[in-house]
Amino acid sequence: MGRRPFYAEYVNHCMRFYCRNIEKPSSFKTEVDKKNWEACDTVMKVYTPEERDILLSVYSMNDTMGDNVYNTATKHDVCQDQVWNLVVDVGRRIAKQRGLA
């Protein structure tokens, strides 16, 4: 995929945390965790249910992003480019929401 934005790993971390805690936790360890969760939740609401399922699938897996995208594309019967485009888009939106982009 070309050069990754500086916030990519941070957003990946935020989305993995969000996927493990899809229901809003009653408390967060830090205010940053809370803001990250809220940013992910806000951004996820702009996607269709199908797109949300794809994103949740990608970020719920514990492999490399490339393998997660491949496995998700196979599982959902969509092309990998479609999944990558969603990953890039969600990353940009969350980064914007958190003031990183």
Side-chain angles (χ1 to χ4, degrees):
M1 284 226 49
R3 227 166 79 84
R4 292 171 26 151
F6 72 92
Y7 53 75
E9 277 308 310
Y10 186 80
V11 168
N12 290 348
H13 167 78
C14 295
M15 279 298 292
R16 285 191 299 270
F17 177 78
Y18 178 79
C19 290
R20 285 192 308 270
N21 301 280
I22 201 75
E23 295 298 319
K24 187 173 185 174
S26 55
S27 65
F28 293 88
K29 286 183 182 173
T30 67
E31 188 64 22
V32 170
D33 285 345
K34 180 179 181 184
K35 288 180 178 180
N36 289 342
W37 189 95
E38 289 172 344
C40 291
D41 193 54
T42 297
V43 168
M44 287 294 279
K45 289 177 179 166
V46 306
Y47 295 103
T48 66
E50 295 79 17
E51 291 169 328
R52 281 194 298 270
D53 284 346
I54 288 170
L55 288 166
L56 290 171
S57 176
V58 168
Y59 289 102
S60 294
M61 295 178 185
N62 289 321
D63 217 327
T64 65
M65 280 303 280
D67 286 343
N68 292 353
V69 166
Y70 171 80
N71 290 326
T72 298
T74 302
K75 177 180 163 187
H76 290 270
D77 196 29
V78 296
C79 74
Q80 289 183 60
D81 284 345
Q82 185 178 346
V83 179
W84 276 118
N85 288 340
L86 274 173
V87 167
V88 168
D89 188 64
V90 78
R92 185 180 42 76
R93 288 175 187 261
I94 290 169
K96 218 175 221 178
Q97 192 77 18
R98 291 296 284 125
L100 300 171

